[in-house]
Amino acid sequence: MMDYKELGLRVGLEVHQQLDTGKLFCKCPSELVEEEGNETIRSLRATASEMGELDPAAIIEAAKGHRFIYQQPESSSCLVELDEEPPGEPNEDAMDIALKMSLLMGSKVMDEIHFMRKIVVDGSNTTGFQRTALVAMDGTLEVDGKDIGIPTICLEEDAARNIDDHGDNKIYRLDRLGIPLVEIVTSPVIESPEEAREVAQTIGGLLRATRKVKRGLGTIREDVNISITKGSRVEIKGVQDLKMLPEYVKIEVERQVNLLDIREALISKSAAVDPDMVDVQQIFKGTESTIIKNNIKKDKGVYALKLKGFASLLRGEEGEPLLGPELAAYAKTTGIGGIFHSDELPAYGITEEEVQDISEFLSLDKNDAFILISEEEDKASAAADRVIERAEMALEGVPGETRNAQLDGSTVYLRPISGGARMYPETDVPPFRVDDELLKSTEEDLPETPKERLKRYAEEYDLNLQQSRQLFRKGYDLIFEEIVDNTGNPSVVANTFLQTFPELEKEGYDMNNIEDDKLKSLFKKFSDGGFAKEGILDIIKELVEGKSVEEAIDSAGIESVDALYVREAITKILDEREGFVNERGLSALGPIMGVVMKELRGKADGEMVSNILKEELAKRVSDG
Amino acid sequence: MREVPLTEASVGDKIRLEIEGREYIGILMPHHRFSGDDTITLKLENGYNIGLKVAEGTMVKLLESDVDRVESTLDIPEVEEDKPNISIIGTGGTIASYVEYGTGAVHPAETAAEILYSNPEIAVRCDPKVDIILSKLSEDITPKDWVTIADAVLEELNSGAEGVVVAHGTDTMGYTAAALSFLLDQVPKPVVLVGSQRSSDRPSSDAHLNLLAAIDVAKSNTRGVYVVMHETIDDKRCAVHHGTKVRKMHTSRRDAFKSINREQAGWVEPLDNGLDLKGLPEKEEKVATRMGSIEPEVALVYVTPALTEEDLQYAGKKKGIVLVGTGLGHMRSELISTLKEIITDGTPVVMTSQCLYGTVNCYVYTNGRKLLEAGVIPCGDMLPETALVKLMWALTIIGQDVKETMITDAAGEISNRRME
């Protein structure tokens, strides 16, 4: 267990929430669609002034290499997303939500909101920039009695959806481009992995309170800034699953601690990086490694780098972050497939003998490591430069980086951490004036805060604070309220969300697969006496599989309350007449039907009674 | 640190001010055209601009003056000796402009260095000579400017350029292309107009591809006046249009320019070294010459059901009228007598069609025949804007009948065959 206080952990969040309004600058619906639509090919170039240097060859290469393909589904994108028409005025509903969020956090709303162009040339925006505006500053959020600063709240457009990387051509779909996002940034005052989740959940709850935010996977995304005292600030981009948030923090802290340990080990071994790339192709003349054999056939070479004192630090203990993958990630940014390092060899068909030969050729001793790159010389050399750069950083400690979140809580190097973003005014969108009148009417229309809601749940629904808080944190508060306001049974509904759901999730069911409408009709059936509460778990299992409520009840084999009651009554009658039944067998049906109907007439459907009686009778006769 | 009244701080100064107990630090930006009068724009350290309402007499602390001004230490890429000489004439517009990141202001390129600075690839393709003769958005271009541009082109053609590229705003680029087509009598080499629909300060600008394509055409073994712009909305192929048969057909799309009533002259794929200019006339060893000038006093009248006698009489005060008629080239019959008076008084009136596609034909219906009898000159399938420019030009040609000039093809403006 890490002592996060001792390590000086500091975490700050940037929460991006998609809004459930139209798109920010056009009249398209904010819907992700299956439709692919026509394709448009574009290239983006960083203008010379941006790059700060003039390298015609590099710019031409960039223009050649980076073409982007945009799918333009007509149902969810228009000329604005294609960058073929100037943006319209910002969506009023989206602006309203951003203002409400600002007021809920006590932020100072700007007198005029100015949209900016934030340069992004990875193709995710057709324009080459993201439109973003600072709406408010200096808010605070109370989480478990601690004030979390909210320095900025922004309104911005979401990027296009990356569908595929097709060689040099990235494919994006324009359905997501332009969906409004509210971005809420916290101060870096979070001190533990769990606190990060608490803060994120509280922000999520506030956002949902506006009732105009999208729900489901991918609709809320977090960038997480993490640092420890002796490490560096690392920004993890694109965390989609809130539950995983503490995991990302833990793993990053471990990674940084590990890198610091590696640094110490390197220094104690007087490690050094030899900047010269050496051609070692001759060693692989008769190699059995298919990868290298094929590469040589394609006129690629084999090159080695000497890392003095790095042995056994490239591949650490099982499960620990390693230096090898970090070096490889830097190398891959130059477009090569990967590298080999001596800690993982012999492997990939590279033999012990070849490893020995390289060691000899480079005059390595047992403390030294090497890197192999099999590529064309100029590509290998570019990759080697990055490996050297990263290896040298290992001697310094933890490099400041932007890393991509992977689903399992780990991260992959993306780029060095950027300084301030390049921003210049979006001249196509006029400033949005927030006068006192607008501020006042927004204030009057503020949604109930989570705090107020918790209080109301206790009063109206008789839930305890613990239950209410959990509903809220897990994001079930709104749907809970909607169901209970329609069909009652607050404690059953709350238990379904707080006990049944987690139980099923543990079994591997994905509860995101159930639409709200199905839950509503499930509880409607329940309150109409369609089934007993014990049946809910089984029915929900079927709902997750995509069945309708009726189908689910059917295939879960759940009977209505009526049927249970009838079966109970019939069982009792048959028990009392056991002898008669045994004697008469199936022909006991007629006489017993009379008795049963006498008891149940008017209380249950005749046909159902008859069916159940036949069933029960048959069971006894065949058992006998 | 000086404390001064806000009014004394200038754009580019880093200031600190306090409003209602909150402190703001940032660079003072130019006042936004649509901002409130009581509002200043401040660029914060995080890069965002915000609008702040300030009371009269607000005091600010001056932290630094004139920060973030872009220094014009522009490195120009070296040009290889053996590249063809291409002249690039700048007239304004967004094709050659760059953004000053400090203030976000977009500056039109004013020097050769600035054009090369934003488009260093030019130096790889040719030995460019850049001359900025005007700095106007194309909506501000006047007929007089056409003559200025034509003379500048002539000078370049006759002083060693193998081709000339004219960078131009897109709104009126079609008019200028037509004007150059008529004014340049002998055009022994390519003259290429080019623009952009997304300004060149944006990473997604079409300026770059268009400019490279224009240079490729200017280097080619052809002659004549052409317009080069995106063929589709893809950043791939640029269309080459004949200067008298091209029209801006969309307000904002990259592929706004279309050839009308004539197939486009060819295409270029500058990033893939593709080019097809088959069938275009080849270069000649001749001196480039100019013929005629431009008479700006010509009216273009859009014929609608609401057009009145007074409208026509007002237009009749000009030295010529281009009618943009309905259908095959018609107008309300009861106006024809007024038109006849204007023509009899010596003002030439020519007829084009607001259909744009297809040719004027005054023989099909009675209305057309009456117009012909009144002396209206039918312009065939000439675009209305081209007819306007041509009439302005025809009026300056001494010793030649205006009607004869208008109905005789001078620069590809009239086609005899149409395929769509």
Side-chain angles (χ1 to χ4, degrees), chain A residues 26-46:
Chain A
C26 65
K27 301 294 178 198
C28 287
S30 292
E31 297 297 337
L32 301 188
V33 295
E34 291 296 318
E35 186 193 347
E36 292 181 3
N38 290 332
E39 285 186 349
T40 295
I41 301 172
R42 289 282 169 71
S43 52
L44 292 175
R45 54 201 289 276

Side-chain angles (χ1 to χ4, degrees), chain A residues 144-162:
Chain A
D144 288 341
K146 175 172 162 186
D147 274 347
I148 306 287
I150 305 293
T152 60
I153 296 174
C154 296
L155 179 61
E156 53 193 35
E157 53 180 4
D158 204 346
R161 193 150 64 106
N162 189 204

Side-chain angles (χ1 to χ4, degrees), chain A residues 259 262-263 265-274 305-316 322-324 326-327 341-344 364-371 387-396:
Chain A
L259 288 174
I262 288 175
R263 172 177 181 264
L266 288 172
I267 288 172
S268 73
K269 291 203 265 178
S270 320
V273 182
D274 188 337
L305 280 175
K306 179 174 169 183
L307 299 177
K308 196 171 166 305
F310 277 71
S312 82
L313 293 170
L314 301 175
R315 176 198 288 244
L322 326 160
L323 203 48
E326 305 279 344
L327 300 183
H341 61 76
S342 47
D343 279 359
E344 60 182 347
L364 303 184
D365 70 32
K366 67 175 185 1
N367 278 329
D368 301 339
F370 65 83
I371 299 289
V387 171
I388 292 164
E389 182 191 336
R390 181 63 187 87
E392 279 169 350
M393 286 175 184
L395 300 168
E396 306 287 323

Side-chain angles (χ1 to χ4, degrees), chain A residues 252-456:
Chain A
E252 176 56 23
V253 173
E254 277 168 29
R255 199 185 65 91
Q256 296 203 11
V257 168
N258 205 276
L259 288 174
L260 292 171
D261 290 347
I262 288 175
R263 172 177 181 264
E264 266 178 42
L266 288 172
I267 288 172
S268 73
K269 291 203 265 178
S270 320
V273 182
D274 188 337
D276 294 323
M277 183 174 91
V278 182
D279 188 340
V280 292
Q281 187 174 332
Q282 60 190 34
I283 294 172
F284 293 93
K285 238 177 219 162
T287 189
E288 283 160 28
S289 162
T290 354
I291 308 176
I292 293 188
K293 222 180 347 190
N294 286 339
N295 280 346
I296 291 175
K297 236 183 255 168
K298 283 185 239 161
D299 283 334
K300 293 180 179 178
V302 188
Y303 303 91
L305 280 175
K306 179 174 169 183
L307 299 177
K308 196 171 166 305
F310 277 71
S312 82
L313 293 170
L314 301 175
R315 176 198 288 244
E317 294 301 312
E318 192 65 35
E320 281 184 11
L322 326 160
L323 203 48
E326 305 279 344
L327 300 183
Y330 273 62
K332 282 181 188 169
T333 60
T334 64
I336 71 161
I339 58 174
F340 304 101
H341 61 76
S342 47
D343 279 359
E344 60 182 347
L345 299 176
Y348 310 105
I350 297 172
T351 62
E352 178 67 39
E353 202 189 337
E354 285 163 336
V355 173
Q356 291 290 347
D357 288 349
I358 295 173
S359 296
E360 250 169 64
F361 190 74
L362 298 174
S363 14
L364 303 184
D365 70 32
K366 67 175 185 1
N367 278 329
D368 301 339
F370 65 83
I371 299 289
L372 281 187
I373 305 173
S374 175
E375 263 300 338
E376 288 150 23
E377 189 174 358
D378 53 340
K379 279 191 181 173
S381 158
D385 284 348
R386 296 238 61 198
V387 171
I388 292 164
E389 182 191 336
R390 181 63 187 87
E392 279 169 350
M393 286 175 184
L395 300 168
E396 306 287 323
V398 184
E401 292 172 347
T402 297
R403 301 177 68 88
N404 247 342
Q406 306 294 297
L407 289 176
D408 64 353
S410 67
T411 57
V412 176
Y413 171 75
L414 189 64
R415 54 172 181 262
I417 203 147
S418 54
R422 282 277 199 192
M423 274 198 254
Y424 60 109
E426 170 50 279
T427 42
D428 297 342
V429 180
F432 183 92
R433 179 104 178 164
V434 186
D435 53 22
D436 294 344
E437 204 176 313
L438 175 60
L439 219 47
K440 199 167 149 246
S441 65
T442 311
E443 198 130 23
E444 280 163 6
D445 193 30
L446 281 184
E448 184 183 41
T449 63
K451 220 178 210 168
E452 292 162 349
R453 190 169 326 146
L454 293 186
K455 205 171 135 231
R456 184 165 57 82

